[in-house]
């Protein structure tokens, strides 16, 4: 498969500085791939990202986009082919959400009807109802909603490539997890080629098809899949940067949809008290999960709740710990820790109940990952020539 982006010996030295900001980066990024650039502060990851669309001009080296050398083309024309999302979003505060999303299509001279249709399509795609949000202003939206608008704006002209500079870094952890999951779901549909910068190795493992770890010397130390980086770090720097707890980090490699989900007793929220009690008597669980007519989780109820004299459909505990099918097991584990019942409920795109993830699900996955890693290492050692050392550079 031909690369969508190829960086050839890309280097940046700022005037008056002896030390290089980016040193000789070679990288091929395939169509539809998410490549994450990660490393300590000042390592060159953001500079590399900004050289791709020439917000920062390279000192030397080449940028090849879809087979075309774009190192010296008009930078404005280049940027219209590349979507760009930054941490602080950068929406124009005095323009409506629709006008913000329409920025690039207007520059390209699209007609009014085409722009309106594209804006509505994109707002729906990022789960913002056009009728509600089209005419609002950025100050009327939450941080997470503004971030979604930033993603929609970056996709407005349907660019083949998107650059994302710590797009979820300024958002609270719960919202960040949800936006990550929503973006990964969206990526399954749009299949953009994405270069994504983060300082968080856990986010890199979760989001990236491949990860480039930059070192303090402004060079790539390892460019590989998350699984390879966790199981076979190229050198001591990579090993230290990924940190301890490799087994828990590997939970970011496993999607909820790929494991055997547990079952939990459920009942429609309008169930009769007697039937709900009878159902609890048949199972070894302290709680029954009530769902609505569309199978969307509503409340947890216990035998004690069902025995109250003032029993009604609103008695019980609200359902909080939910994860979508494309969430990672690490997401599910985080939700389990907040759950009153000790499980994370798995729901589909429509919010309907699909099963549960509990501690047994997580432990089975951890043990499976450990066994697979031991097997891969053993196979690699068996086939490696005597004295061979794996090369970990780009």
């Amino acid at each position: 498969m031909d690369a969508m982006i190829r960086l050839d010996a890309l280097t940046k030295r700022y005037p008056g500085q002896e030390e290089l900001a980016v040193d000789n980066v070679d990288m091929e990024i395939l169509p539809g791939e998410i490549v994450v650039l990660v490393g300590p502060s000042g390592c060159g990851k953001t500079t590399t990202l900004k050289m791709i669309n020439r917000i920062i001009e390279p000192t030397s080296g080449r940028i090849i986009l879809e087979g075309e050398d774009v190192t010296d083309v008009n930078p404005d024309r280049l940027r219209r082919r590349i979507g760009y999302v930054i941490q602080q979003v950068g929406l124009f505060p005095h323009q409506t959400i629709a006008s913000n999303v329409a920025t690039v299509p207007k520059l390209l001279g699209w007609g009014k009807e085409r722009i309106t249709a594209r804006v509505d399509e994109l707002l729906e795609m990022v789960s913002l109802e056009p009728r509600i949000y089209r005419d609002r202003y950025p100050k009327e939206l939450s941080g997470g909603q503004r971030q979604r608008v930033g993603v929609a704006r970056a996709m407005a002209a349907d660019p083949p490539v998107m650059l994302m500079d710590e797009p979820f870094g300024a958002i609270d952890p719960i919202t960040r997890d949800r936006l990550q999951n929503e973006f990964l779901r969206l990526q399954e549909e749009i299949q953009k080629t994405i270069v994504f910068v983060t300082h968080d190795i856990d986010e890199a493992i979760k989001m990236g098809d491949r990860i480039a770890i930059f070192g303090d010397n402004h060079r790539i130390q390892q460019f590989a899949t998350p699984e390879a980086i966790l199981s076979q770090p190229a050198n001591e720097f990579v090993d230290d940067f990924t940190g301890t707890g490799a087994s828990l980090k590997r939970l970011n490699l496993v999607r909820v949809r790929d494991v055997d989900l547990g079952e939990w007793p459920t009942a429609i929220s309008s169930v009769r008290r007697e039937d709900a009690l009878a159902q609890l008597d048949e199972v070894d669980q302290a709680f029954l999960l009530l769902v609505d007519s569309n199978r969307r989780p509503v409340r947890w109820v216990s035998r004690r709740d069902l025995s109250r004299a003032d029993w009604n459909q609103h008695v019980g505990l609200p359902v909080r710990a939910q994860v979508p099918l494309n969430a990672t097991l690490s997401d599910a584990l985080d939700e389990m820790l907040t759950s009153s019942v000790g499980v994370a409920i798995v729901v589909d795109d429509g919010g309907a109940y699909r099963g549960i993830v509990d501690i047994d699900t997580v432990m089975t996955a951890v043990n499976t990952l450990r066994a697979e890693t031991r097997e891969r290492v053993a196979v690699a050692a068996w086939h490696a020539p005597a004295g061979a050392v794996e090369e970990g550079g780009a």
Side-chain angles (χ1 to χ4, degrees):
M1 182 184 296
D2 293 335
M4 175 65 75
I5 302 170
R6 182 159 62 85
L7 307 181
D8 182 9
L10 203 63
T11 298
K12 180 64 182 180
R13 185 194 301 275
Y14 288 104
Q17 299 292 318
E18 290 188 12
E19 189 175 16
L20 292 173
V22 174
D23 187 3
N24 202 45
V25 167
D26 290 315
M27 182 182 294
E28 288 195 350
I29 301 171
L30 302 177
E33 184 177 35
I34 299 180
V35 165
V36 179
L37 313 184
V38 66
S41 179
C43 67
K45 56 187 184 293
T46 297
T47 302
T48 300
L49 183 84
K50 290 181 177 180
M51 282 194 287
I52 295 174
N53 68 352
R54 292 179 41 217
I55 288 177
I56 293 176
E57 292 288 355
T59 303
S60 61
R62 294 192 306 157
I63 306 155
I64 313 297
L65 177 63
E66 295 185 282
E68 177 190 355
D69 189 338
V70 295
T71 315
D72 297 310
V73 303
N74 181 293
D76 289 332
R77 285 182 49 239
L78 171 63
R79 288 170 200 146
R80 290 171 192 173
R81 297 170 59 185
I82 299 175
Y84 189 47
V85 184
I86 61 176
Q87 183 181 88
Q88 300 298 335
V89 187
L91 300 180
F92 302 117
H94 302 301
Q95 291 187 12
T96 65
I97 299 308
S99 293
N100 269 281
V101 175
T103 300
V104 174
K106 287 177 181 176
L107 290 173
L108 295 175
W110 289 18
K112 185 176 180 180
E113 289 185 6
R114 184 183 178 191
I115 289 176
T116 299
R118 181 62 174 161
V119 167
D120 288 356
E121 176 189 12
L122 287 168
L123 290 178
E124 288 178 356
M125 192 177 288
V126 297
S127 302
L128 294 172
E129 171 59 46
R131 180 179 54 83
I132 297 173
Y133 293 99
R134 186 192 300 115
D135 298 322
R136 291 188 180 181
Y137 289 86
K139 66 180 180 181
E140 300 177 82
L141 274 58
S142 69
Q145 289 170 333
R146 288 195 295 271
Q147 199 66 55
R148 294 184 199 184
V149 175
V151 172
R153 183 175 65 180
M155 295 192 299
D158 200 20
V161 172
M162 290 178 61
L163 307 181
M164 307 185 76
D165 189 3
E166 301 214 40
F168 310 130
I171 300 170
D172 67 89
I174 293 175
T175 303
R176 182 166 65 244
D177 284 342
R178 289 174 180 166
L179 284 175
Q180 289 169 347
N181 291 334
E182 188 171 318
F183 185 79
L184 288 171
R185 177 194 62 77
L186 186 60
Q187 171 64 357
E188 291 178 358
E189 299 177 15
I190 61 177
Q191 289 293 295
K192 299 294 182 186
T193 303
I194 297 168
V195 187
F196 187 112
V197 164
T198 181
H199 65 277
D200 183 346
I201 186 62
D202 291 318
E203 182 171 58
I205 291 166
K206 176 176 179 177
M207 301 297 292
D209 296 308
R210 286 190 294 163
I211 299 172
I213 297 183
F214 282 72
D216 292 325
N217 60 357
H218 314 290
R219 296 177 67 97
I220 294 176
Q221 301 298 301
Q222 188 168 9
F223 183 29
T225 65
E227 185 178 26
I229 285 172
L230 288 175
S231 60
Q232 296 175 297
N235 53 39
E236 186 176 348
F237 177 88
V238 174
D239 196 23
D240 289 343
F241 187 78
T242 54
T244 58
S247 292
L248 286 178
K249 284 183 170 62
R250 286 192 187 97
L251 293 179
N252 275 311
L253 304 176
V254 183
R255 302 288 167 192
V256 169
R257 64 182 175 225
D258 297 326
V259 301
D260 293 328
L261 301 179
E263 286 296 333
W264 197 275
T266 64
I268 298 298
S269 56
S270 58
V271 65
R272 294 190 315 143
R273 180 209 304 257
E274 296 78 8
D275 294 337
L277 283 167
Q279 190 171 348
L280 271 181
D281 288 338
E282 293 175 2
V283 296
D284 185 24
Q285 297 291 358
F287 290 87
L288 183 66
L289 176 62
L290 298 185
V291 298
D292 66 16
S293 58
N294 292 313
R295 300 279 295 165
R296 293 176 296 207
V298 177
R299 302 186 79 75
W300 295 104
V301 293
S302 65
R303 186 172 282 98
R304 180 177 179 182
D305 294 326
L306 292 165
S307 300
R308 286 174 50 168
D310 62 345
W311 157 255
N312 61 66
Q313 295 174 15
H314 303 293
V315 170
L317 297 171
V319 172
R320 292 194 177 92
Q322 297 187 57
V323 292
L325 285 164
N326 71 336
T328 66
L329 280 186
S330 181
D331 295 329
L333 180 59
D334 284 343
E335 290 293 334
M336 284 166 52
L337 297 177
T338 69
S339 170
S340 305
V341 181
V343 302
I345 298 173
V346 180
V347 296
D348 62 20
D349 289 345
Y353 167 84
R354 292 290 297 272
I356 59 103
V357 172
D358 58 14
I359 194 62
D360 288 339
T361 311
V362 174
M363 289 308 301
T364 298
V366 167
N367 291 332
T368 300
L369 289 167
R370 283 175 176 166
E372 289 174 350
T373 299
R374 284 195 297 268
E375 183 178 347
R376 277 194 303 274
V377 171
V379 169
W382 176 263
H383 290 290
V389 177
E390 180 188 86
E391 179 152 339

